[in-house]
Amino acid sequence: MSAPSLTDQLGRVVMVIPTYNEADNLAWIVGRLRRAQPEVDVLVVDDGSPDGTGRLADELADADPQVHVIHRQEKAGLGAAYLHGFAWALDEGYDVIGEMDADGSHQPEELVRLLDALADGADLVLGSRYVPGGSVVNWPLRRWAISRAGNLYVRLLLGIPIKDATGGYRLFRRTTLEKIDLATARSAGYVFQTELATRALQHGLKVREVPIEFIERVRGDSKLSGGIASESMRRVTAWGLQERTAQLRGALRRRAGG
């Protein structure tokens, strides 16, 4: 008798892939994902791409019943696209809901590492560039340094032990998404990733990082801009100050009560 597969242990799994102008990459990355994990479903959330990405997604869905598509009318941010996709997946009864980029930076062939960690008891698994065994390919030194410094800032200011809180290759149990209350998520941009990981820790959930090799896109343009990075730092700073203020008030109350 053969051993149960990871999806037998975990239940129904879907990977949510947000897209905006990814016509050059979409069929390539979905094909790789379907070959790497044939039992895992795919949900493409397209933000009204003018380059025809949405039409290509529909063609993939027509050819494969495990591929699904949501069409959004405007580009409203990564967090908004993921929230829409998560809501759909929860309504459809999926047990595990994942995130990955469409540009090939997250390798579908490494998804098994995240699935293994979830099956081993984690509530949220993060594909990490910055734990032992993780790496980044084809990034200039300046971008690598900014990313490492940003993650260090997040770790110190928010007081969380995560080495790569900004990465977007991850798996959630449905119970995790239900506990962290997506309806009150405050972020639309890339800082959405940090917010959800922080919320999971605040709820006492088990968050585990596994190493991945992150590969910079070779086709199409990066969606990361200076404005997005600035928004992330502003929000993280505000959350950190709120957390430290709450801790100080708590300490003062305890001292007064003592």
Side-chain angles (χ1 to χ4, degrees):
M1 185 175 181
S2 60
S5 68
L6 286 171
T7 50
D8 287 336
Q9 298 176 55
L10 295 170
R12 297 175 65 213
V13 182
V14 62
M15 296 302 293
V16 181
I17 304 178
T19 56
Y20 184 78
N21 286 351
E22 294 289 357
D24 290 340
N25 293 311
L26 184 62
W28 169 65
I29 199 65
V30 170
R32 286 175 60 189
L33 176 55
R34 296 288 294 115
R35 288 189 296 274
Q37 294 292 335
E39 297 179 351
V40 172
D41 290 357
V42 180
L43 172 64
V44 178
V45 182
D46 186 62
D47 270 5
S49 298
D51 73 341
T53 300
R55 175 181 54 79
L56 291 174
D58 285 336
E59 292 174 359
L60 293 173
D62 288 342
D64 185 344
Q66 287 181 248
V67 177
H68 310 276
V69 185
I70 291 175
H71 294 280
R72 292 162 51 82
Q73 297 307 307
E74 61 179 353
K75 190 172 186 292
L78 184 74
Y82 272 128
L83 287 173
H84 197 153
F86 291 168
W88 178 90
L90 290 170
D91 285 345
E92 292 293 317
Y94 284 94
D95 302 290
V96 175
I97 300 163
E99 304 180 10
M100 67 181 298
D101 291 347
D103 60 10
S105 56
H106 301 142
Q107 300 178 73
E109 296 78 14
E110 294 187 326
L111 180 57
V112 64
R113 299 181 184 180
L114 282 70
L115 291 166
D116 276 334
L118 206 70
D120 195 38
D123 299 300
L124 166 60
V125 180
L126 310 178
S128 177
R129 298 162 287 188
Y130 304 132
V131 295
S135 61
V136 176
V137 177
N138 294 334
W139 262 11
L141 179 60
R142 180 174 180 273
R143 186 169 177 187
W144 177 88
I146 290 172
S147 176
R148 289 302 303 262
N151 272 287
L152 177 61
Y153 185 74
V154 166
R155 193 159 67 249
L156 294 175
L157 197 64
L158 300 183
I160 61 176
I162 297 173
K163 298 291 183 61
D164 192 356
T166 60
Y169 199 8
R170 47 183 65 185
L171 292 177
F172 298 85
R173 293 185 185 273
R174 72 171 292 119
T175 50
T176 301
L177 291 177
E178 289 167 346
K179 286 178 182 176
I180 62 180
D181 191 12
L182 293 173
T184 60
R186 296 168 287 177
S187 309
Y190 282 74
V191 73
F192 173 81
Q193 309 289 21
T194 301
E195 180 177 2
L196 263 57
T198 302
R199 285 185 176 215
L201 289 169
Q202 290 171 341
H203 281 78
L205 299 175
K206 184 177 180 181
V207 179
R208 180 174 168 189
E209 293 183 90
V210 298
I212 61 165
E213 181 184 58
F214 179 95
I215 301 178
E216 173 65 346
R217 69 162 63 234
V218 296
R219 294 178 287 195
D221 298 321
S222 173
K223 309 302 187 297
L224 185 62
S225 67
I228 290 172
S230 296
E231 182 225 358
S232 298
M233 288 301 98
R234 285 196 302 270
R235 286 189 175 272
V236 168
T237 300
W239 296 337
L241 292 175
Q242 289 170 5
E243 179 67 19
R244 296 295 179 265
T245 300
Q247 290 174 355
L248 178 59
R249 287 174 177 168
L252 291 173
R253 282 196 297 268
R254 287 192 296 273
R255 179 176 295 182

